[in-house]
Amino acid sequence: MRKFYLATAMFLGLAACGASPNGLLVSPGAEAVGGNLFVETLENGDQILVLDGEVTPDTSYVFQSLAEYTEIDGLVIAQSPGGDLLAAHQIGRTIAAKKINTAVLFSCISACVDIFIAGHERSIAAEAELGLHSAEDLEFGLSVDRPYWKSFGFEAVNEAAYKVPFNDIWIVSSERAKELRLATEIIR
């Protein structure tokens, strides 16, 4: 049985990896497990589960499978432009139910933030950013986002995000994320 850890050291380890030739932030040695999820193995042998890329239904499927058969302490979001809202909510519900910690290394935009806010502890690198906006289908988005964000106590942030058009973005710095309680810790 694998165990995936979330440690402060992973920020230094992943950041030191730099971008790989394929545009990803994970190291060339990271093991792709599907759905833009990767396993990074640190020098001490600890393994980190990393989301690097778009959130898709496959991301949800792979994450659900891993959560069922492995012990996941945390999910590191290297960078994600967002993606499928319903897939993000499925991942988020699993994260919340299993009290998994989340962390953002560089950027977490749109539906990715729905994953991040579900973390038991939510760490963000000092230079990282969150990006929020309304859903493309406003009526549908509100119908699924309002109860989801309310369940985590972030209904005011969700309402503010829905004032930002889908084709625009509200960039939230790490400091502002901490002020809004979206992040519980800033990693420096």
Side-chain angles (χ1 to χ4, degrees):
M1 173 191 266
R2 277 187 174 166
K3 180 167 181 166
F4 299 113
Y5 294 92
L6 176 66
T8 303
M10 63 75 198
F11 281 105
L12 302 173
L14 280 179
C17 293
S20 66
N22 57 9
L24 298 174
L25 297 176
V26 292
S27 72
E31 175 189 350
V33 292
N36 297 318
L37 292 168
F38 299 83
V39 176
E40 283 278 3
T41 302
L42 301 179
E43 287 181 15
N44 67 3
D46 286 351
Q47 293 185 313
I48 299 168
L49 184 60
V50 180
L51 170 62
D52 193 354
E54 184 178 356
V55 177
T56 67
D58 195 39
T59 312
S60 177
Y61 174 78
V62 172
F63 186 83
Q64 302 294 333
S65 296
L66 288 171
E68 186 173 337
Y69 297 108
T70 61
E71 192 175 332
I72 300 174
D73 177 61
L75 173 66
V76 175
I77 300 162
Q79 57 84 30
S80 175
D84 188 283
L85 181 63
L86 296 179
H89 284 199
Q90 289 172 327
I91 295 166
R93 284 188 199 94
T94 300
I95 286 171
K98 294 188 173 273
K99 296 186 179 188
I100 295 170
N101 299 319
T102 56
V104 174
L105 185 57
F106 290 104
S107 67
C108 180
I109 308 296
S110 193
C112 174
V113 181
D114 293 49
I115 294 171
F116 175 66
I117 65 166
H120 180 67
E121 295 291 328
R122 299 171 305 280
S123 303
I124 187 168
E127 301 302 318
E129 296 177 327
L130 304 179
L132 300 163
H133 61 88
S134 64
E136 187 171 17
D137 181 336
L138 194 60
E139 187 176 326
F140 172 75
L142 279 170
S143 73
V144 296
D145 262 346
R146 272 187 175 143
Y148 180 85
W149 282 66
K150 184 177 184 178
S151 72
F152 296 109
F154 298 123
E155 58 267 27
V157 176
N158 182 242
E159 292 300 320
Y162 268 83
K163 289 181 171 57
V164 179
F166 176 73
N167 60 352
D168 201 356
I169 195 86
W170 169 26
I171 298 295
V172 178
S173 70
S174 60
E175 292 291 335
R176 186 69 176 131
K178 181 94 165 42
E179 289 170 12
L180 293 169
R181 297 181 312 99
L182 296 174
T184 56
E185 172 185 37
I186 298 173
I187 304 296
R188 300 189 192 279

